[in-house]
PDB file of all heavy atoms in Angstrom:
ATOM      1  N   SER A  89     -57.329  53.267  51.142  1.00 95.00           N
ATOM      2  CA  SER A  89     -58.158  52.291  51.851  1.00 95.00           C
ATOM      3  C   SER A  89     -58.348  52.588  53.337  1.00 95.00           C
ATOM      4  O   SER A  89     -58.990  51.809  54.044  1.00 95.00           O
ATOM      5  CB  SER A  89     -57.546  50.895  51.689  1.00 95.00           C
ATOM      6  OG  SER A  89     -56.276  50.867  52.299  1.00 95.00           O
ATOM      7  N   VAL A  91     -60.114  54.389  56.128  1.00 96.00           N
ATOM      8  CA  VAL A  91     -61.385  55.113  56.290  1.00 96.00           C
ATOM      9  C   VAL A  91     -61.160  56.456  56.991  1.00 96.00           C
ATOM     10  O   VAL A  91     -61.686  57.491  56.568  1.00 96.00           O
ATOM     11  CB  VAL A  91     -62.397  54.240  57.072  1.00 96.00           C
ATOM     12  CG1 VAL A  91     -63.686  55.015  57.339  1.00 96.00           C
ATOM     13  CG2 VAL A  91     -62.682  52.954  56.312  1.00 96.00           C
ATOM     14  N   SER A 130     -66.338  46.889  49.470  1.00 98.00           N
ATOM     15  CA  SER A 130     -66.054  46.866  50.909  1.00 98.00           C
ATOM     16  C   SER A 130     -67.342  46.803  51.706  1.00 98.00           C
ATOM     17  O   SER A 130     -68.378  47.335  51.287  1.00 98.00           O
ATOM     18  CB  SER A 130     -65.301  48.146  51.274  1.00 98.00           C
ATOM     19  OG  SER A 130     -65.327  48.343  52.664  1.00 98.00           O
ATOM     20  N   SER A 131     -67.232  46.209  52.906  1.00 98.00           N
ATOM     21  CA  SER A 131     -68.392  46.228  53.808  1.00 98.00           C
ATOM     22  C   SER A 131     -68.703  47.648  54.275  1.00 98.00           C
ATOM     23  O   SER A 131     -69.803  47.912  54.770  1.00 98.00           O
ATOM     24  CB  SER A 131     -68.141  45.322  55.004  1.00 98.00           C
ATOM     25  OG  SER A 131     -66.895  45.623  55.594  1.00 98.00           O
ATOM     26  N   TYR A 153     -64.833  57.354  52.067  1.00 98.00           N
ATOM     27  CA  TYR A 153     -64.307  56.062  51.607  1.00 98.00           C
ATOM     28  C   TYR A 153     -65.467  55.138  51.209  1.00 98.00           C
ATOM     29  O   TYR A 153     -65.479  54.546  50.127  1.00 98.00           O
ATOM     30  CB  TYR A 153     -63.469  55.405  52.714  1.00 98.00           C
ATOM     31  CG  TYR A 153     -63.095  53.988  52.377  1.00 98.00           C
ATOM     32  CD1 TYR A 153     -62.014  53.722  51.548  1.00 98.00           C
ATOM     33  CD2 TYR A 153     -63.841  52.917  52.863  1.00 98.00           C
ATOM     34  CE1 TYR A 153     -61.687  52.420  51.204  1.00 98.00           C
ATOM     35  CE2 TYR A 153     -63.529  51.612  52.526  1.00 98.00           C
ATOM     36  CZ  TYR A 153     -62.450  51.367  51.701  1.00 98.00           C
ATOM     37  OH  TYR A 153     -62.130  50.074  51.348  1.00 98.00           O
ATOM     38  N   ASN A 182     -63.824  43.261  56.952  1.00 98.00           N
ATOM     39  CA  ASN A 182     -62.435  43.503  57.392  1.00 98.00           C
ATOM     40  C   ASN A 182     -61.633  42.206  57.362  1.00 98.00           C
ATOM     41  O   ASN A 182     -62.087  41.179  57.886  1.00 98.00           O
ATOM     42  CB  ASN A 182     -62.420  44.057  58.817  1.00 98.00           C
ATOM     43  CG  ASN A 182     -63.129  45.388  58.912  1.00 98.00           C
ATOM     44  OD1 ASN A 182     -64.256  45.534  58.418  1.00 98.00           O
ATOM     45  ND2 ASN A 182     -62.504  46.356  59.538  1.00 98.00           N
ATOM     46  N   ARG A 188     -50.867  43.301  57.703  1.00 97.00           N
ATOM     47  CA  ARG A 188     -51.769  44.454  57.738  1.00 97.00           C
ATOM     48  C   ARG A 188     -50.978  45.727  58.027  1.00 97.00           C
ATOM     49  O   ARG A 188     -49.999  45.705  58.792  1.00 97.00           O
ATOM     50  CB  ARG A 188     -52.773  44.191  58.866  1.00 97.00           C
ATOM     51  CG  ARG A 188     -53.969  45.107  58.956  1.00 97.00           C
ATOM     52  CD  ARG A 188     -54.768  45.139  57.730  1.00 97.00           C
ATOM     53  NE  ARG A 188     -56.188  45.359  57.998  1.00 97.00           N
ATOM     54  CZ  ARG A 188     -56.975  46.055  57.179  1.00 97.00           C
ATOM     55  NH1 ARG A 188     -56.497  46.613  56.081  1.00 97.00           N
ATOM     56  NH2 ARG A 188     -58.262  46.174  57.447  1.00 97.00           N
ATOM     57  N   GLU A 191     -51.754  51.289  60.453  1.00 95.00           N
ATOM     58  CA  GLU A 191     -52.799  52.271  60.753  1.00 95.00           C
ATOM     59  C   GLU A 191     -54.142  51.621  61.085  1.00 95.00           C
ATOM     60  O   GLU A 191     -55.019  52.263  61.637  1.00 95.00           O
ATOM     61  CB  GLU A 191     -52.931  53.283  59.605  1.00 95.00           C
ATOM     62  CG  GLU A 191     -53.435  52.740  58.278  1.00 95.00           C
ATOM     63  CD  GLU A 191     -52.318  52.182  57.387  1.00 95.00           C
ATOM     64  OE1 GLU A 191     -51.400  51.519  57.907  1.00 95.00           O
ATOM     65  OE2 GLU A 191     -52.398  52.377  56.150  1.00 95.00           O
ATOM     66  N   VAL A 193     -56.779  49.042  63.017  1.00 98.00           N
ATOM     67  CA  VAL A 193     -56.830  48.849  64.467  1.00 98.00           C
ATOM     68  C   VAL A 193     -56.253  47.507  64.937  1.00 98.00           C
ATOM     69  O   VAL A 193     -55.592  47.448  65.976  1.00 98.00           O
ATOM     70  CB  VAL A 193     -58.257  49.096  65.007  1.00 98.00           C
ATOM     71  CG1 VAL A 193     -59.192  47.919  64.746  1.00 98.00           C
ATOM     72  CG2 VAL A 193     -58.218  49.446  66.478  1.00 98.00           C
ATOM     73  N   LYS A 196     -52.518  47.745  64.847  1.00 98.00           N
ATOM     74  CA  LYS A 196     -52.076  48.706  65.860  1.00 98.00           C
ATOM     75  C   LYS A 196     -52.053  47.993  67.226  1.00 98.00           C
ATOM     76  O   LYS A 196     -51.093  48.100  67.990  1.00 98.00           O
ATOM     77  CB  LYS A 196     -53.052  49.888  65.875  1.00 98.00           C
ATOM     78  CG  LYS A 196     -52.717  50.969  66.865  1.00 98.00           C
ATOM     79  CD  LYS A 196     -53.666  52.154  66.670  1.00 98.00           C
ATOM     80  CE  LYS A 196     -53.421  53.228  67.709  1.00 98.00           C
ATOM     81  NZ  LYS A 196     -54.308  54.393  67.529  1.00 98.00           N
ATOM     82  N   GLY A 215     -59.436  54.848  69.751  1.00 98.00           N
ATOM     83  CA  GLY A 215     -60.632  55.682  69.652  1.00 98.00           C
ATOM     84  C   GLY A 215     -61.814  54.967  70.279  1.00 98.00           C
ATOM     85  O   GLY A 215     -61.887  54.824  71.500  1.00 98.00           O
ATOM     86  N   ASN A 216     -62.718  54.450  69.428  1.00 98.00           N
ATOM     87  CA  ASN A 216     -63.942  53.819  69.918  1.00 98.00           C
ATOM     88  C   ASN A 216     -63.743  52.313  70.081  1.00 98.00           C
ATOM     89  O   ASN A 216     -63.716  51.588  69.091  1.00 98.00           O
ATOM     90  CB  ASN A 216     -65.060  54.123  68.901  1.00 98.00           C
ATOM     91  CG  ASN A 216     -66.316  53.349  69.192  1.00 98.00           C
ATOM     92  OD1 ASN A 216     -66.508  52.834  70.290  1.00 98.00           O
ATOM     93  ND2 ASN A 216     -67.189  53.269  68.192  1.00 98.00           N
ATOM     94  N   ALA A 219     -66.790  49.653  68.702  1.00 98.00           N
ATOM     95  CA  ALA A 219     -67.140  49.351  67.304  1.00 98.00           C
ATOM     96  C   ALA A 219     -66.996  47.849  67.082  1.00 98.00           C
ATOM     97  O   ALA A 219     -66.064  47.225  67.597  1.00 98.00           O
ATOM     98  CB  ALA A 219     -66.216  50.116  66.360  1.00 98.00           C
ATOM     99  N   ARG A 221     -66.742  44.627  64.320  1.00 98.00           N
ATOM    100  CA  ARG A 221     -66.393  44.280  62.946  1.00 98.00           C
ATOM    101  C   ARG A 221     -66.421  42.764  62.770  1.00 98.00           C
ATOM    102  O   ARG A 221     -66.244  42.004  63.731  1.00 98.00           O
ATOM    103  CB  ARG A 221     -64.975  44.779  62.601  1.00 98.00           C
ATOM    104  CG  ARG A 221     -64.851  46.302  62.481  1.00 98.00           C
ATOM    105  CD  ARG A 221     -65.567  46.816  61.243  1.00 98.00           C
ATOM    106  NE  ARG A 221     -65.447  48.246  61.080  1.00 98.00           N
ATOM    107  CZ  ARG A 221     -66.234  49.165  61.663  1.00 98.00           C
ATOM    108  NH1 ARG A 221     -67.212  48.804  62.460  1.00 98.00           N
ATOM    109  NH2 ARG A 221     -66.054  50.451  61.410  1.00 98.00           N
ATOM    110  N   VAL A 255     -63.799  45.948  69.006  1.00 98.00           N
ATOM    111  CA  VAL A 255     -62.380  46.303  69.100  1.00 98.00           C
ATOM    112  C   VAL A 255     -61.875  45.912  70.491  1.00 98.00           C
ATOM    113  O   VAL A 255     -60.774  45.377  70.656  1.00 98.00           O
ATOM    114  CB  VAL A 255     -62.204  47.824  68.848  1.00 98.00           C
ATOM    115  CG1 VAL A 255     -60.786  48.267  69.157  1.00 98.00           C
ATOM    116  CG2 VAL A 255     -62.590  48.176  67.412  1.00 98.00           C
ATOM    117  N   PHE A 280     -58.678  59.526  67.719  1.00 97.00           N
ATOM    118  CA  PHE A 280     -58.911  58.345  66.883  1.00 97.00           C
ATOM    119  C   PHE A 280     -60.399  58.023  66.720  1.00 97.00           C
ATOM    120  O   PHE A 280     -60.760  56.985  66.176  1.00 97.00           O
ATOM    121  CB  PHE A 280     -58.157  57.137  67.448  1.00 97.00           C
ATOM    122  CG  PHE A 280     -56.669  57.365  67.489  1.00 97.00           C
ATOM    123  CD1 PHE A 280     -56.014  57.574  68.692  1.00 97.00           C
ATOM    124  CD2 PHE A 280     -55.939  57.411  66.308  1.00 97.00           C
ATOM    125  CE1 PHE A 280     -54.645  57.808  68.727  1.00 97.00           C
ATOM    126  CE2 PHE A 280     -54.569  57.650  66.333  1.00 97.00           C
ATOM    127  CZ  PHE A 280     -53.911  57.849  67.539  1.00 97.00           C
ATOM    128  N   ARG A 282     -63.911  58.708  64.932  1.00 96.00           N
ATOM    129  CA  ARG A 282     -64.285  59.236  63.613  1.00 96.00           C
ATOM    130  C   ARG A 282     -65.506  60.146  63.707  1.00 96.00           C
ATOM    131  O   ARG A 282     -66.382  59.912  64.554  1.00 96.00           O
ATOM    132  CB  ARG A 282     -64.577  58.075  62.669  1.00 96.00           C
ATOM    133  CG  ARG A 282     -63.336  57.267  62.471  1.00 96.00           C
ATOM    134  CD  ARG A 282     -63.525  55.991  61.692  1.00 96.00           C
ATOM    135  NE  ARG A 282     -62.222  55.314  61.677  1.00 96.00           N
ATOM    136  CZ  ARG A 282     -61.981  54.158  61.107  1.00 96.00           C
ATOM    137  NH1 ARG A 282     -62.951  53.511  60.484  1.00 96.00           N
ATOM    138  NH2 ARG A 282     -60.779  53.636  61.141  1.00 96.00           N
ATOM    139  N   GLU A 285     -69.200  57.097  62.746  1.00 97.00           N
ATOM    140  CA  GLU A 285     -68.702  55.723  62.947  1.00 97.00           C
ATOM    141  C   GLU A 285     -69.659  54.718  62.317  1.00 97.00           C
ATOM    142  O   GLU A 285     -70.865  54.954  62.219  1.00 97.00           O
ATOM    143  CB  GLU A 285     -68.577  55.464  64.463  1.00 97.00           C
ATOM    144  CG  GLU A 285     -68.188  54.056  64.880  1.00 97.00           C
ATOM    145  CD  GLU A 285     -66.765  53.653  64.485  1.00 97.00           C
ATOM    146  OE1 GLU A 285     -66.530  53.463  63.280  1.00 97.00           O
ATOM    147  OE2 GLU A 285     -65.912  53.515  65.387  1.00 97.00           O
TER     148      GLU A 285
HETATM  149  N1  GDD B   1     -57.654  52.565  62.783  1.00 54.25           N
HETATM  150  C1  GDD B   1     -58.122  52.700  64.031  1.00 54.25           C
HETATM  151  N2  GDD B   1     -57.318  53.221  65.007  1.00 54.25           N
HETATM  152  N3  GDD B   1     -59.391  52.295  64.303  1.00 54.25           N
HETATM  153  C2  GDD B   1     -59.838  52.400  65.581  1.00 54.25           C
HETATM  154  C3  GDD B   1     -59.052  52.914  66.611  1.00 54.25           C
HETATM  155  C4  GDD B   1     -57.732  53.356  66.322  1.00 54.25           C
HETATM  156  O1  GDD B   1     -56.985  53.819  67.159  1.00 54.25           O
HETATM  157  N4  GDD B   1     -59.777  52.865  67.756  1.00 54.25           N
HETATM  158  C5  GDD B   1     -60.962  52.328  67.454  1.00 54.25           C
HETATM  159  N5  GDD B   1     -61.020  52.052  66.113  1.00 54.25           N
HETATM  160  C6  GDD B   1     -62.173  51.502  65.412  1.00 54.25           C
HETATM  161  C7  GDD B   1     -62.600  52.332  64.183  1.00 54.25           C
HETATM  162  O2  GDD B   1     -63.356  53.477  64.599  1.00 54.25           O
HETATM  163  C8  GDD B   1     -63.422  51.293  63.418  1.00 54.25           C
HETATM  164  O3  GDD B   1     -64.718  51.232  63.949  1.00 54.25           O
HETATM  165  C9  GDD B   1     -62.708  49.960  63.759  1.00 54.25           C
HETATM  166  O4  GDD B   1     -61.825  50.245  64.850  1.00 54.25           O
HETATM  167  C10 GDD B   1     -61.911  49.368  62.602  1.00 54.25           C
HETATM  168  O5  GDD B   1     -61.072  50.375  62.065  1.00 54.25           O
HETATM  169  P1  GDD B   1     -59.947  50.030  60.965  1.00 54.25           P
HETATM  170  O6  GDD B   1     -59.108  48.914  61.432  1.00 54.25           O
HETATM  171  O7  GDD B   1     -59.273  51.318  60.613  1.00 54.25           O
HETATM  172  O8  GDD B   1     -60.776  49.445  59.735  1.00 54.25           O
HETATM  173  P2  GDD B   1     -62.123  49.948  59.047  1.00 54.25           P
HETATM  174  O9  GDD B   1     -63.238  49.051  59.510  1.00 54.25           O
HETATM  175  O10 GDD B   1     -62.326  51.401  59.185  1.00 54.25           O
HETATM  176  O11 GDD B   1     -61.821  49.678  57.492  1.00 54.25           O
HETATM  177  C11 GDD B   1     -61.160  48.501  57.041  1.00 54.25           C
HETATM  178  O12 GDD B   1     -62.090  47.515  56.654  1.00 54.25           O
HETATM  179  C12 GDD B   1     -62.886  47.844  55.515  1.00 54.25           C
HETATM  180  C13 GDD B   1     -63.840  46.687  55.281  1.00 54.25           C
HETATM  181  O13 GDD B   1     -64.887  46.782  56.195  1.00 54.25           O
HETATM  182  C14 GDD B   1     -60.254  48.905  55.872  1.00 54.25           C
HETATM  183  O14 GDD B   1     -59.446  47.824  55.529  1.00 54.25           O
HETATM  184  C15 GDD B   1     -61.066  49.295  54.657  1.00 54.25           C
HETATM  185  O15 GDD B   1     -60.198  49.571  53.568  1.00 54.25           O
HETATM  186  C16 GDD B   1     -61.992  48.117  54.326  1.00 54.25           C
HETATM  187  O16 GDD B   1     -62.761  48.415  53.179  1.00 54.25           O
END
Side-chain angles (χ1 to χ4, degrees):
S89 63
V91 176
S130 164
S131 51
Y153 171 82
N182 298 49
R188 191 57 148 146
E191 66 273 40
V193 78
K196 180 174 176 179
N216 171 18
R221 290 290 181 275
V255 171
F280 299 108
R282 297 173 183 179
E285 175 67 289

